């Protein structure tokens, strides 16, 4: 069970890094307001894998 959870967490983090890379290339863009949680430096990598609670 622990191995499955570690793999799922690793996959989640991999998708976060891929999303950040795609956004850096200019293929995707977040149109949220500046006060949204996804604009913070530490959390910006997770905006594409956790798309809940964005403020437009």
């Amino acid at each position: 069970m622990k191995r499955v959870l570690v793999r799922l967490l690793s996959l989640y983090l991999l998708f976060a890094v891929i999303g950040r890379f795609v956004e850096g290339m200019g293929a995707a863009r977040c149109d949220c307001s500046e006060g949204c949680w996804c604009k913070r430096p530490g959390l910006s990598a997770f905006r594409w894998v956790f798309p809940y609670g964005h403020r437009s």
Side-chain angles (χ1 to χ4, degrees):
M1 184 67 173
K2 182 180 176 183
R3 188 178 301 169
V4 171
L5 289 175
V6 169
R7 285 184 182 179
L8 286 175
L9 182 63
S10 298
L11 190 61
Y12 183 81
L13 292 174
L14 176 67
F15 283 141
V17 170
I18 290 171
R20 185 72 171 152
F21 179 73
V22 167
E23 184 180 12
M25 288 178 16
R29 189 180 65 165
C30 182
D31 292 329
C32 287
S33 66
E34 290 299 319
C36 187
W37 66 267
C38 71
K39 298 291 183 175
R40 294 186 182 166
L43 300 175
S44 63
F46 297 101
R47 77 179 75 175
W48 301 113
V49 292
F50 190 75
Y52 177 76
H54 289 271
R55 288 185 234 151
S56 296

